[in-house]
Amino acid sequence: MAIKDTPEHWQVTATSTPFRGNKTSVRTDDVVMPDGTVVKRDYQVHPGSVAVLALDGEGRVLVLRQYRHPVRQKLWEIPAGLLDVPGENPLHAAQRELYEEAHVKAEDWRVLTDVYTTPGGCDEAVRIFLARELSEAEGERFEVSEEEADMELARVPLEELVRGVLAGELHNTCLVVGVLSAVAARGGDGFDALRPAEAPWPARPFEA
């Protein structure tokens, strides 16, 4: 048996949206179970996200520290953001986020991994890119606001981030998945064997 996630659609007999927020909403579906019973499933509906593990020529990862109100912590993260436009090309969104949050551009882009952040309660899908050959972006810095106005930027060796993840000191999903995937890729077939930046993404189809 191939160990591979596969699409599946169980029957939904009714659906409602009891809450609509600025970017996300909450949906309630009545889902038919294998034994024929019907149960309610509440979940957050999310547009999807992209994240960027930007690795410089010295083996350091560009990270930022940002306040996250739901968990009441400042977390070290990699640049990330929402897919604001339905059908938006995720590579273009990732390039935008790297510029806006770090004022950096990259010449080499590859897909590092794709994840569902919390599939038991949210349909958010995230594509994490590996960006290399970094340089400072041209022009003025993007003007940030709200939580982003308090962000700190740093470049941290990949191995130090792995140590922090395994020590329980770093918790952001995209950072954890990104740095561990990068180490696995580097120790396997190498970064050049990763999927191209425009690889299909069934979770969030897009125009190439």
Side-chain angles (χ1 to χ4, degrees):
M1 182 181 66
I3 304 300
K4 180 179 180 180
D5 297 335
T6 56
E8 181 145 345
H9 298 279
W10 289 8
Q11 182 183 0
V12 175
T13 59
T15 187
S16 62
T17 306
F19 171 80
R20 293 184 186 274
N22 184 34
K23 296 291 186 180
T24 66
S25 59
V26 173
R27 182 177 296 163
T28 299
D29 288 343
D30 293 347
V31 186
V32 180
M33 297 288 107
D35 64 359
T37 60
V38 178
V39 300
K40 291 186 179 297
R41 290 290 178 260
D42 304 319
Y43 58 100
Q44 183 184 18
V45 178
H46 194 285
S49 306
V50 291
V52 184
L53 190 133
L55 187 66
D56 69 16
E58 299 178 39
R60 300 175 303 174
V61 177
L62 195 157
V63 291
L64 51 92
R65 190 170 180 239
Q66 184 172 343
Y67 175 66
R68 294 300 187 182
H69 187 70
V71 295
R72 306 301 198 274
Q73 289 194 25
K74 275 191 170 183
L75 301 180
W76 284 103
E77 307 178 350
I78 57 177
L82 298 175
L83 291 169
D84 293 312
V85 181
E88 181 178 16
N89 187 307
L91 173 60
H92 299 166
Q95 292 169 332
R96 180 187 68 234
E97 293 300 329
L98 185 60
Y99 162 74
E100 291 182 357
E101 296 190 347
H103 201 66
V104 165
K105 64 179 181 179
E107 298 301 321
D108 187 272
W109 289 83
R110 299 176 189 274
V111 175
L112 188 54
T113 190
D114 300 321
V115 294
Y116 292 116
T117 55
T118 49
C122 179
D123 71 351
E124 181 183 14
V126 182
R127 169 155 281 188
I128 304 176
F129 290 90
L130 173 69
R132 295 181 294 167
E133 299 179 25
L134 310 182
S135 62
E136 194 80 3
E138 297 90 357
E140 296 182 3
R141 284 186 170 272
F142 182 79
E143 186 175 344
V144 296
S145 60
E146 300 174 348
E147 288 92 342
E148 292 184 353
D150 189 47
M151 283 195 312
E152 304 169 48
L153 292 173
R155 295 195 183 202
V156 180
L158 181 60
E159 291 74 13
E160 177 62 17
L161 294 175
V162 171
R163 186 207 62 77
V165 168
L166 299 180
E169 299 169 355
L170 299 170
H171 307 88
N172 175 265
T173 301
C174 292
L175 183 146
V176 171
V177 173
V179 300
L180 296 182
S181 296
V183 169
R186 186 183 63 185
D189 294 332
F191 293 140
D192 290 341
L194 291 169
R195 287 173 291 162
E198 298 276 8
W201 189 18
R204 293 294 185 273
F206 62 92
E207 294 287 339

